Amino acid sequence: MFEGRALVNDDLERGVFRVHRSAMSSQQVWERERERVFHKCWIYVGHDSEVDKPGDFFRRDVLGHSMFVTRGQDGEVRCFYNTCPHRGATVCREDRGNAKRFTCFYHAWTFDGTGDLVTLPDEDGYGADFDRSERCLTGPPRFEQYRGFWFMSFNPEVVPLDEYLAGAKEYIDLVVDQAEDGMRVVGGSNQYQIGANWKLLCENSVDGYHGQPVHQTYFAYIHGLGGGVQTGDPLLPMGPKQLGNGHVVIEGEAPYARPIARWDPLFGEDAKEDIEAIRARIFGTYDELKAKRMCDTIRLMVVFPNLVINDITAITIRYIDPIAHDRMNVSAWALAPKEEEGDRLARRIDSYLTFIGPAGFATPDDVEALESCQRGFKAVPDAGYSDISRGMKQIPEGQHELQMRAFWRAWAAYMDEVPVPPVMSLPECSGALVGARA
Ligand code: FES
Ligand SMILES: [Fe+2]
């Protein structure tokens, strides 16, 4: 039983949505989704600021494929499979750096930043028909960026990135437009491993339901310091949304503070003038609703399948690299405006690490929640079902799980090689008891 829709029971008549847990506990399902989901979609690789200058490079693992990205001396950013065309050795052996040329350590074939083979020892020994241009570094068939976020695809037929991102672009804009001169990844990253299926982290990233039970320690800490003041402004968008193609987001005022463009008592009187100045610039630049959203709401978004962008206590890029059905590597970076330095940057990094850093208030608790689910899947012989039906039939104000169902519906469609269903309006169930906003 590997087909997507056989594992995802989506009963619009009865208001039942449940996922068979073998979707997360079966190695065979994982092998199928590598091929049918990950090898068909766009996959995030890295941020433009990681290759800011010609020669900059970074290395990244994507589903067991070692890749590296570099900006050539011509200013173009390219993505290569990290394997030598000669005998296959790893060409780029450092995680990041700057190099005009990449010399393979095995026999010293040397490539420039465009991937061309530029020198090799004893070239004369190869004879007249040896053609260097046939021995260049190669890369994935598609590599495109949206506002500094670079994605690759193993699928030459994939739709253009711009079309694939659909409604997610608006939310990337809300993040990137907070800067005057673009965003940059703050130096360094957090790397950790979670003993759980990768989809559990996607679900968790847009799951407002778990916030109070799992993160109450943090909320109590923030409120104890006088922070987390909310405006209750009815104009602010609240709740989950589907963004098309399986991308989903939750947005709203959070019970914690962001040191970005709204002062909160938590940050102290000393920071007030500076934060108000950032706020004034944003309100002076954008229309009122967009400015309010940038300053006063948070966003947690999954770009299907495995990129999470959190614009919460700080802005975080989380890249999920599944390595087995029950294990994933997570890389996380803080994103900040290029112009941000000094106290502003220190406030952001402090806020980032306090909540979503690997030793922050949130991440260890979330990791335990995910790993406990994965352990729990083994408790029942046939693994059983997970329920994701909240709000399918009757919707308490702002509280439903349509965003998770949209993620799973996209996953099931990819697994069955059928089109992803369009964005659905709420409530999905034909026998709905209570209507609500979409
Ligand atoms: S394997 Fe790279 S030069 Fe031989
Ligand atoms: Fe959480």
Side-chain angles (χ1 to χ4, degrees):
M1 185 169 75
F2 299 139
E3 273 59 40
R5 285 166 299 177
L7 296 173
V8 176
N9 291 173
D10 187 2
D11 188 336
L12 292 174
E13 285 301 311
R14 292 168 50 232
V16 172
F17 194 101
R18 58 183 198 160
V19 175
H20 195 270
R21 291 169 180 165
S22 61
M24 295 166 282
S25 64
S26 155
Q27 184 66 16
Q28 290 101 317
V29 169
W30 157 237
E31 283 163 16
R32 182 67 64 97
E33 68 187 357
R34 262 177 69 88
E35 170 200 329
R36 293 200 173 177
V37 180
F38 286 95
H39 281 216
K40 292 290 175 348
C41 294
W42 283 101
I43 307 290
Y44 179 71
V45 192
H47 193 263
D48 197 65
S49 62
E50 295 180 86
V51 284
D52 198 35
K53 297 184 293 300
D56 285 354
F57 68 86
F58 64 83
R59 187 169 66 160
R60 200 130 296 151
D61 285 341
V62 178
L63 300 155
H65 304 274
S66 178
M67 322 283 299
F68 74 101
V69 172
T70 185
R71 188 182 296 274
Q73 298 303 313
D74 59 357
E76 291 292 311
V77 180
R78 297 177 179 83
C79 179
F80 298 113
Y81 297 124
N82 193 7
T83 179
C84 182
H86 182 220
R87 301 276 181 81
T90 300
V91 174
C92 177
R93 290 159 58 86
E94 292 175 36
D95 285 341
R96 67 187 67 82
N98 184 283
K100 274 191 181 150
R101 294 182 166 192
F102 298 87
T103 300
C104 178
F105 84 110
Y106 197 5
H107 311 93
W109 283 24
T110 297
F111 307 88
D112 68 12
T114 72
D116 285 348
L117 174 59
V118 287
T119 65
L120 67 161
D122 192 21
E123 187 173 0
D124 293 345
Y126 282 92
D129 59 348
F130 180 82
D131 186 352
R132 274 199 219 167
S133 68
E134 291 173 359
R135 311 290 196 283
C136 300
L137 294 173
T138 59
R142 301 287 293 277
F143 182 60
E144 295 176 16
Q145 61 121 359
Y146 180 74
R147 303 210 65 188
F149 291 79
W150 282 99
F151 292 75
M152 52 145 282
S153 182
F154 296 111
N155 175 12
E157 309 298 326
V158 70
V159 298
L161 178 66
D162 200 68
E163 181 182 337
Y164 176 81
L165 289 175
K169 287 185 293 182
E170 177 190 350
Y171 287 82
I172 293 174
D173 292 348
L174 284 168
V175 167
V176 176
D177 288 342
Q178 291 169 29
E180 288 178 270
D181 188 24
M183 285 283 178
R184 78 178 196 278
V185 162
V186 178
S189 64
N190 300 135
Q191 308 279 334
Y192 48 97
Q193 199 169 83
I194 303 177
N197 183 266
W198 65 276
K199 298 186 288 300
L200 285 171
L201 182 54
C202 294
E203 269 189 9
N204 171 269
S205 299
V206 288
D207 179 358
Y209 201 27
H210 82 284
Q212 282 301 334
V214 173
H215 304 309
Q216 54 181 294
T217 313
Y218 177 71
F219 300 140
Y221 164 74
I222 292 298
H223 293 146
L225 293 172
V229 178
Q230 295 181 282
T231 66
D233 186 335
L235 284 179
L236 294 176
M238 294 287 288
K241 279 197 192 71
Q242 314 148 85
L243 304 172
N245 293 334
H247 317 310
V248 291
V249 70
I250 52 177
E251 182 176 15
E253 279 203 292
Y256 43 74
R258 300 161 73 227
I260 294 165
R262 184 168 87 192
W263 182 79
D264 186 283
L266 187 68
F267 305 123
E269 289 295 327
D270 287 354
K272 193 169 189 175
E273 193 178 329
D274 187 37
I275 292 175
E276 291 295 344
I278 302 171
R279 184 180 184 87
R281 178 182 60 76
I282 291 175
F283 271 82
T285 307
Y286 300 103
D287 68 67
E288 189 181 1
L289 182 57
K290 179 166 178 175
K292 276 189 177 181
R293 290 173 74 192
M294 290 162 76
C295 297
D296 295 340
T297 64
I298 59 153
R299 283 151 285 284
L300 302 99
M301 175 165 68
V302 173
V303 177
F304 189 89
N306 63 333
L307 169 66
V308 176
I309 300 176
N310 285 332
D311 180 9
I312 49 175
T313 54
I315 304 168
T316 315
I317 301 171
R318 260 186 193 159
Y319 164 66
I320 303 168
D321 187 35
I323 51 175
H325 68 279
D326 59 355
R327 194 152 289 273
M328 65 184 120
N329 287 327
V330 180
S331 304
W333 298 265
L335 199 66
K338 282 182 181 167
E339 68 272 12
E340 194 171 276
E341 297 290 348
D343 289 345
R344 282 186 184 179
L345 185 59
R347 276 197 303 270
R348 178 185 298 274
I349 292 173
D350 182 63
S351 191
Y352 165 78
L353 292 173
T354 301
F355 191 57
I356 40 186
F361 275 92
T363 299
D365 292 345
D366 283 325
V367 169
E368 170 54 19
L370 271 48
E371 292 187 341
S372 82
C373 290
Q374 197 73 37
R375 288 193 296 272
F377 296 161
K378 292 186 193 150
V380 181
D382 81 339
Y385 284 90
S386 288
D387 180 276
I388 313 181
S389 65
R390 191 168 68 124
M392 196 172 180
K393 196 166 183 180
Q394 180 173 9
I395 304 154
E397 184 65 16
Q399 299 295 328
H400 60 77
E401 290 172 343
L402 175 55
Q403 76 283 15
M404 291 183 221
R405 292 190 284 278
F407 174 87
W408 277 108
R409 284 175 180 135
W411 178 84
Y414 272 102
M415 289 292 274
D416 290 350
E417 300 182 304
V418 298
V420 173
V423 167
M424 298 179 83
S425 56
L426 274 169
E428 302 118 286
C429 184
S430 52
L433 302 177
V434 178
R437 55 197 171 159

